[in-house]
Amino acid sequence: MPGFLHKNINRFCVILFLFLMMPLAGFAATLAQYRENLQSAKDYTIELLYPDDEEMAEAERLNFERENVAEIRQMVPKNEKVEWRGTTIETDNGWLHEKLDVFEKVSEDAPKRELILNEIYERLDSIKIKFEDLEKHAAETRSKDEDKRKLAEILRREEFQKPTVKTESLFKQILREIWQWVRALFPKPNLPDTPTGGFQGLSFVLQMILYAVVLGGIGFLIYRFAPFLANRFRRGEKKEKQDRVILGERLSGEETAQSLFSQAEQLAREGNLRGAIRKGYIALLCELSDRKIIGLAQHKTNRDYLRDVRRKNELYENMNRLTVNFERHWYGFETANETDWEDFRQNYKKAVNSK
């Protein structure tokens, strides 16, 4: 009960602070305030994921859940104005309120509730990370129009991002230019409306034969060299590695699973075991993606990736242990020790070698 009383006191302080700030509600929030509200919403989501309800009665637990949901709605409203460097942007967080509506309607023992909370936390964390990246570059000189465009891109929901427009390949451009050159070299002949002499008819026939020979030669060259050129272009395109986003963390195209796990080992040596477990979990997802076992997506949570491997029994069993370890220490803020990290390392090696 002391733990429950302590949480209620903290919640009362937050509500009192919001009440005192009501006269300023007409003004736009700063970027820093908006980022802090995102962090608070993340904290309330963690409390819903891992509630300390052992000493709570059923009515207290239900009231605790309703209050946390209300706090998340209060911290991140559907629409809010954010002011940054002289620019005001209208945010759209309708997705969050829709997820909370679904969460409240789902039965208490349904596994879907945990999935919804995980997705909410990951998306809030992703938005917060992007804000931090934006603030790191705030010292650069940019126009207000550029600032507004950049901030609008960050606040835009991920599922509404426009797909990448496929540009015409170099091989297709060459074919199109060759065809235009042929058409310019051999314009459409003007056939005479009236019968002409024998020499003019013979000249027309020779011209058609010449066209056929030239076009045949071009066709033969394309037949011989097109497969070779196409393979070279395809290999060149495959070599270009694009950036990836895993659990809200952007990775450069040059990052590999081995380099990421080496970074995790370095964090562990420095004493940051919680950060080492997160980096190691991202290294595992990168490894599984490189092996074409899972597909990466910005909106996916760790539970989504775990479901992707449920048909591979051995891998699923090892990855499930890593996922539980990751959730306890990253989302649950449970203090990690050397034993937790060593257990993670052993399960990581088993998962990488699983079939």
Side-chain angles (χ1 to χ4, degrees):
M1 187 63 68
F4 174 69
L5 180 60
H6 178 68
K7 290 182 179 178
N8 280 339
I9 292 175
N10 289 340
R11 186 173 289 106
F12 174 76
C13 292
V14 172
I15 295 174
L16 179 60
F17 173 78
L18 293 175
F19 177 78
L20 294 176
M21 293 298 292
M22 285 180 63
L24 301 177
F27 296 92
T30 64
L31 185 61
Q33 291 170 340
Y34 188 74
R35 181 166 50 81
E36 291 174 2
N37 290 341
L38 290 173
Q39 180 60 49
S40 299
K42 285 171 53 183
D43 294 340
Y44 285 118
T45 305
I46 287 296
E47 289 188 10
L48 290 173
L49 268 169
Y50 304 99
D52 185 15
D53 56 359
E54 295 181 357
E55 300 179 1
M56 292 186 190
E58 180 66 18
E60 292 177 334
R61 188 185 61 78
L62 293 175
N63 185 58
F64 167 79
E65 184 176 285
R66 284 193 297 267
E67 289 180 352
N68 271 31
V69 172
E71 292 292 348
I72 295 173
R73 295 181 187 274
Q74 178 72 24
M75 289 296 174
V76 187
K78 288 185 178 181
N79 300 101
E80 184 178 7
K81 293 181 179 180
V82 178
E83 184 175 326
W84 186 61
R85 300 184 68 187
T87 302
T88 301
I89 298 298
E90 186 78 21
T91 66
D92 180 7
N93 293 301
W95 65 269
L96 174 61
H97 293 256
E98 292 174 2
K99 292 292 181 183
L100 292 174
D101 291 339
V102 176
F103 172 78
E104 292 178 315
K105 294 177 182 178
V106 176
S107 61
E108 299 177 9
D109 57 347
K112 186 177 180 181
R113 288 166 65 91
E114 182 178 350
L115 298 178
I116 293 173
L117 292 176
N118 271 319
E119 181 178 351
I120 289 175
Y121 185 91
E122 288 290 347
R123 294 185 65 174
L124 289 173
D125 189 55
S126 177
I127 295 173
K128 181 174 176 290
I129 289 174
K130 291 178 181 178
F131 274 129
E132 291 172 350
D133 291 340
L134 182 62
E135 289 179 315
K136 288 180 182 178
H137 295 86
E140 298 178 2
T141 304
R142 294 193 304 253
S143 66
K144 290 185 178 181
D145 290 339
E146 290 174 334
D147 290 337
K148 187 173 182 178
R149 176 185 58 79
K150 183 65 177 178
L151 188 56
E153 289 176 355
I154 291 176
L155 298 175
R156 193 175 300 121
R157 294 171 59 182
E158 295 175 358
E159 59 266 29
F160 292 132
Q161 291 181 357
K162 296 182 179 179
T164 303
V165 180
K166 295 183 178 179
T167 58
E168 187 179 22
S169 66
L170 182 59
F171 180 69
K172 290 183 178 180
Q173 291 179 9
I174 293 175
L175 287 180
R176 177 171 52 79
E177 292 177 1
I178 290 176
W179 177 245
Q180 292 177 352
W181 173 74
V182 171
R183 293 183 63 183
L185 185 62
F186 304 122
K188 184 178 180 181
N190 295 321
L191 298 178
D193 296 331
T194 59
T196 58
F199 287 106
Q200 292 182 348
L202 179 61
S203 175
F204 175 74
V205 172
L206 292 175
Q207 186 179 12
M208 291 298 100
I209 293 174
L210 177 62
Y211 290 173
V213 170
V214 173
L215 292 175
I218 295 174
F220 176 76
L221 293 175
I222 293 175
Y223 171 76
R224 287 295 302 273
F225 295 103
F228 171 74
L229 294 175
N231 289 334
R232 284 196 62 183
F233 292 137
R234 278 198 294 269
R235 287 197 298 267
E237 290 176 355
K238 289 180 180 179
K239 291 179 181 178
E240 295 179 1
K241 296 182 179 180
Q242 297 181 347
D243 291 354
R244 293 173 288 186
V245 177
I246 303 178
L247 299 183
E249 181 169 341
R250 182 172 296 278
L251 306 176
S252 68
E254 302 302 323
E255 291 279 14
T256 63
Q258 292 76 11
S259 65
L260 289 171
F261 197 76
S262 296
Q263 295 174 27
E265 296 273 18
Q266 180 62 33
L267 289 172
R269 286 192 293 269
E270 294 172 356
N272 185 3
L273 299 177
R274 180 170 175 262
I277 290 174
R278 173 179 171 82
K279 186 68 70 172
Y281 192 81
I282 291 175
L284 173 67
L285 298 180
C286 184
E287 172 72 20
L288 297 180
S289 173
D290 292 341
R291 290 161 55 182
K292 310 300 181 185
I293 296 177
I294 63 172
L296 299 177
Q298 294 189 30
H299 64 275
K300 278 189 173 183
T301 66
N302 52 294
R303 288 289 171 175
D304 292 328
Y305 292 122
L306 181 61
R307 284 195 301 273
D308 289 344
V309 302
R310 62 185 180 276
R311 298 185 184 276
K312 299 181 180 293
N313 295 333
E314 182 181 355
L315 174 59
Y316 179 84
E317 182 179 350
N318 293 320
M319 185 173 175
N320 185 53
R321 296 194 189 98
L322 292 170
T323 302
V324 172
N325 194 330
F326 167 69
E327 290 178 342
R328 282 173 42 230
H329 298 103
W330 184 256
Y331 294 144
F333 295 100
E334 181 177 327
T335 303
N337 54 40
E338 292 289 344
T339 303
D340 296 322
W341 169 243
E342 186 60 31
D343 180 62
F344 185 92
R345 289 180 72 252
Q346 295 300 326
N347 287 320
Y348 176 86
K349 293 178 180 178
K350 292 179 182 179
V352 170
N353 296 322
S354 300
K355 297 181 179 179

